[in-house]
């Protein structure tokens, strides 16, 4: 392995770090973009204006300067990632970020995407997980992106360091059927890793839509008997996160407690730790 890294992981306003022995820095940020350029009955160009979102993201990216930026809820038009690159990530005209390849299943209007700092990373390959253990289509695909570090001296020696970023948007809702679908999605992921994983770095980013570390989908990732594929919470904050002031600094849900913009914006309030970055 080429070197160790200092990680800064960002979920909206929650910032934390993992320190390693040496010494480069990778900043990872995840966002659910809420129907970015996806038209629904409630979310349209008036209630969920994409140009306004681009302006906001331009400011956020400029301030945070992530090296890896993963997202959920981008509309399924293959041109959308390029629009975000042009209007927010690379607005200055300088090519700072590039995107992974566009992927989608045939039945979801919302997709994941990964953007990366081209000075530090290059995309080596990517895969998708589309079905559960029973062969049934997942609610949304799980994307796995394999990137390598662009260290010139190491590459000249035939060496580099690989990072695998898993991006998942688990089923929303609090019914037992919703929870079962979330568990199916992470079970499919862990089965994939059990069969395919190399001795490399894995990081999962996504909107998990869970309220507690007791939920089975979370246990599938963090309590699997197979230690080699187990994910860990870098901030070590298990618990029932919903509506608990103890976890207020981790809450990443909607900032609105009532429905706004014609019912487009979620009304759950900022009282859940829905968005995660776990490492393995």
């Amino acid at each position: 392995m080429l070197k160790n890294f200092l990680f800064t992981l960002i979920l909206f306003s929650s910032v934390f770090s993992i320190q390693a022995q040496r010494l480069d820095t990778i900043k990872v940020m995840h966002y659910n973009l809420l129907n970015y350029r996806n038209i629904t009955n409630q979310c349209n160009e008036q209630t969920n204006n994409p140009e306004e979102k681009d302006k906001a993201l331009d400011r956020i990216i400029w301030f945070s300067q992530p090296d890896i930026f993963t997202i959920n809820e981008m509309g399924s038009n293959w041109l959308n990632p390029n629009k975000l690159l042009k209007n927010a990530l690379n607005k200055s005209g300088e090519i700072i970020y590039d995107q992974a390849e566009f992927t989608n299943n045939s039945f979801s209007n919302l997709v994941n995407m990964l953007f990366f700092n081209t000075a530090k990373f290059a995309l080596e390959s990517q895969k998708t997980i589309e079905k559960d253990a029973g062969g049934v289509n997942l609610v949304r695909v799980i994307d796995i992106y394999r990137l390598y570090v662009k260290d010139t001296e190491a590459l000249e020696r035939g060496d580099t360091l690989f990072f695998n970023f898993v991006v998942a948007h688990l089923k929303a809702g609090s019914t037992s059927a919703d929870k079962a679908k979330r568990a199916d999605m992470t079970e499919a992921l862990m089965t994939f890793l059990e069969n395919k994983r190399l001795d490399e770095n894995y990081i999962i980013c996504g909107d998990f839509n869970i309220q507690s570390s007791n939920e089975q989908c979370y246990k599938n990732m963090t309590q699997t008997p197979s230690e080699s594929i187990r994910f860990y919470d870098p901030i070590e904050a298990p618990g029932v996160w919903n509506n608990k002031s103890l976890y207020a600094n981790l809450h990443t849900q909607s900032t609105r407690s009532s429905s706004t913009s014609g019912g487009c914006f979620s009304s759950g309030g900022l009282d859940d730790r829905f968005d995660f970055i776990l490492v393995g």
Side-chain angles (χ1 to χ4, degrees):
M1 187 173 291
L2 178 68
K3 64 176 78 171
N4 291 319
F5 280 76
L6 170 67
F7 272 100
T8 302
L9 311 179
I10 302 177
L11 289 168
F12 302 123
S13 60
S14 300
V15 182
F16 46 91
S17 64
I18 307 172
Q19 282 195 291
Q21 296 176 346
R22 90 111 301 234
L23 223 312
D24 198 348
T25 299
I26 297 171
K27 185 178 287 187
V28 180
M29 181 167 73
H30 177 78
Y31 241 101
N32 180 323
L33 295 186
L34 183 63
N35 282 300
Y36 177 80
R37 297 186 183 274
N38 181 55
I39 303 298
T40 70
N41 290 335
Q42 291 79 30
C43 296
N44 52 52
E45 291 188 355
Q46 286 71 47
T47 60
N48 193 32
N49 186 283
E51 284 75 23
E52 291 301 316
K53 255 181 187 175
D54 288 338
K55 290 178 184 177
L57 281 169
D58 177 37
R59 292 192 295 271
I60 291 166
I61 295 298
W62 174 84
F63 177 79
S64 57
Q65 298 185 10
D67 297 303
I68 300 293
F69 180 41
T70 60
I71 62 172
N72 302 137
E73 290 210 15
M74 173 173 277
S76 58
N77 187 315
W78 66 274
L79 293 172
N80 288 338
N82 186 262
K83 291 178 180 178
L84 195 148
L85 278 171
K86 180 180 178 181
N87 299 331
L89 278 73
N90 294 330
K91 190 175 179 181
S92 66
E94 182 183 359
I95 305 301
I96 301 171
Y97 294 95
D98 200 357
Q99 67 175 78
E101 296 178 12
F102 182 85
T103 60
N104 189 24
N105 53 33
S106 60
F107 50 83
S108 175
N109 293 324
L110 298 171
V111 301
N112 307 314
M113 182 48 68
L114 177 143
F115 301 92
F116 56 91
N117 181 340
T118 58
K120 290 190 176 183
F121 287 102
L123 180 68
E124 191 269 343
S125 62
Q126 63 187 74
K127 296 181 174 67
T128 59
I129 302 172
E130 301 181 10
K131 297 182 183 296
D132 66 17
V136 177
N137 288 330
L138 301 177
V139 174
R140 286 173 284 268
V141 300
I142 298 173
D143 292 280
I144 303 176
Y145 309 95
R146 188 172 188 248
L147 292 88
Y148 65 87
V149 176
K150 292 170 68 172
D151 184 303
T152 303
E153 292 183 5
L155 288 170
E156 287 175 352
R157 299 193 306 268
D159 188 17
T160 188
L161 184 64
F162 288 94
F163 287 91
N164 297 272
F165 291 90
V166 181
V167 184
H169 185 190
L170 304 187
K171 178 70 173 67
S174 56
T175 68
S176 8
D178 295 327
K179 294 177 181 179
K181 288 180 180 179
R182 287 195 286 270
D184 289 343
M185 293 180 78
T186 57
E187 180 185 5
L189 169 63
M190 302 312 286
T191 299
F192 175 90
L193 294 180
E194 186 73 58
N195 294 331
K196 303 289 186 181
R197 180 169 182 176
L198 302 174
D199 185 20
E200 295 179 2
N201 303 284
Y202 274 77
I203 301 156
I204 182 167
C205 312
D207 180 355
F208 293 171
N209 280 305
I210 59 176
Q211 297 180 330
S212 165
S213 58
N214 295 320
E215 189 168 321
Q216 187 59 48
C217 73
Y218 191 77
K219 290 181 177 180
N220 286 345
M221 295 182 287
T222 60
Q223 297 182 25
T224 175
S226 181
E227 187 174 350
S228 64
I229 62 170
R230 190 180 304 157
F231 285 98
Y232 297 88
D233 184 354
I235 57 173
E236 298 182 347
V240 178
W241 303 297
N242 173 250
N243 202 26
K244 295 289 191 349
S245 59
L246 175 65
Y247 301 110
N249 64 314
L250 305 181
H251 290 161
T252 62
Q253 197 188 2
S254 173
T255 55
R256 295 163 172 81
S257 59
S258 61
S259 182
T260 58
S261 294
C264 175
F265 294 168
S266 302
S267 59
L270 190 59
D271 60 359
D272 275 304
R273 184 192 180 189
F274 275 1
D275 299 274
F276 290 80
I277 298 176
L278 305 178
V279 299

